[in-house]
Amino acid sequence: MRPARPPNREALRLYREVLRTAKCFYWPNDDGEQWSVVLRRNARKEFEAAREETDPLIIARLLVVGRDCLHEVQHRFNAMEDAIRERVNKTRNN
């Protein structure tokens, strides 16, 4: 039996931020399932698949790519939310 490794704090931080971001996606996809549920499930699969990785370079690469992707999604979501808010304000003022 192998000794248990301590959890990677950076991976755990990234996973929690992914879950918090996924909560923002409340609308359903084409199958009627909420995007937040789909995103949480896929994030769990990705993190579980990488759980047994021991190579520090691969772990670092996974974390960097994951963080970059998350920031890109957050940026695009915020930009779209701002555009929607601006459109609503224009229609209210007319």
Side-chain angles (χ1 to χ4, degrees), residues 26-40:
Y26 52 84
W27 56 89
N29 65 9
D30 294 339
D31 297 330
E33 189 174 15
Q34 278 191 343
W35 273 111
S36 61
V37 173
V38 173
L39 294 171
R40 283 196 315 260

Side-chain angles (χ1 to χ4, degrees), residues 3-18:
R5 287 183 299 138
N8 182 320
R9 288 181 184 231
E10 185 62 27
L12 193 55
R13 189 176 305 123
L14 176 60
Y15 181 70
R16 288 177 178 157
E17 190 172 349
V18 166

Side-chain angles (χ1 to χ4, degrees), residues 68-79:
D68 287 345
C69 290
L70 178 63
H71 285 170
E72 180 67 23
V73 166
Q74 289 171 335
H75 175 73
R76 287 182 183 203
F77 182 86
N78 290 336

